[in-house]
């Protein structure tokens, strides 16, 4: 059974940092990434990484503050979030599949982890 399990969310003050992790089980994926969904808003693509050509977090809202990385076993992806702002408050979802991009629905989703940034 394929599972994506996120961890590392929580409550942090503005300006602080969090590191999210997403552990995959059941198979390995060519690509993994992160989306988020704030209350009342659509799900937003943040970052993705694949094992041949690592990519960075280029979404305008997080560029320069968030970075994505992965372990060599291709089972865990991380999202390092720095200089957090109240507007980063959202449920953060891990995604995985043959590709993870903003314009397509990933094959697999995690259940999400809540990140709350207080002002």
């Amino acid at each position: 059974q394929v599972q994506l399990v996120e961890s590392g969310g929580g409550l942090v003050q503005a300006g602080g940092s969090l590191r999210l992790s997403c552990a995959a089980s059941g198979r390995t994926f060519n690509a993994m990434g992160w989306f988020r969904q704030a209350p009342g808003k659509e799900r937003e693509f943040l970052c993705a990484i694949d094992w041949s050509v690592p990519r960075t977090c280029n979404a305008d809202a997080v560029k320069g503050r968030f970075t994505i990385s992965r372990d060599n076993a291709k089972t865990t992806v991380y999202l390092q979030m720095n200089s957090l702002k109240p507007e980063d408050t959202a449920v953060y979802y891990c995604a995985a599949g043959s590709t993870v991009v903003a314009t397509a629905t990933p094959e697999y989703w995690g259940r999400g982890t809540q990140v709350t940034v207080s002002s």
Side-chain angles (χ1 to χ4, degrees):
Q1 182 180 0
V2 175
Q3 279 192 314
L4 301 176
V5 179
E6 302 99 334
S7 61
L11 174 64
V12 63
Q13 288 189 330
S17 297
L18 282 176
R19 189 192 196 206
L20 305 183
S21 300
C22 174
S25 60
R27 57 166 285 187
T28 58
F29 297 95
N30 184 60
M32 297 180 73
W34 293 92
F35 290 70
R36 71 183 180 186
Q37 188 165 20
K41 295 189 176 181
E42 293 187 353
R43 193 167 294 188
E44 175 186 22
F45 171 79
L46 299 177
C47 319
I49 188 168
D50 68 47
W51 312 125
S52 59
V53 183
R55 286 177 275 168
T56 58
C57 298
N58 290 322
D60 289 341
V62 304
K63 194 172 185 178
R65 299 188 298 121
F66 290 12
T67 56
I68 188 169
S69 62
R70 49 80 171 174
D71 71 335
N72 289 332
K74 302 183 182 181
T75 59
T76 303
V77 66
Y78 306 96
L79 184 67
Q80 178 67 42
M81 307 186 294
N82 299 327
S83 303
L84 284 162
K85 305 174 182 180
E87 50 265 44
D88 294 318
T89 295
V91 178
Y92 284 70
Y93 295 92
C94 179
S98 56
T99 185
V100 175
V101 294
T103 54
T105 301
E107 297 168 56
Y108 296 94
W109 292 100
R111 291 190 173 186
T113 184
Q114 176 70 45
V115 171
T116 303
V117 184
S118 63
S119 57

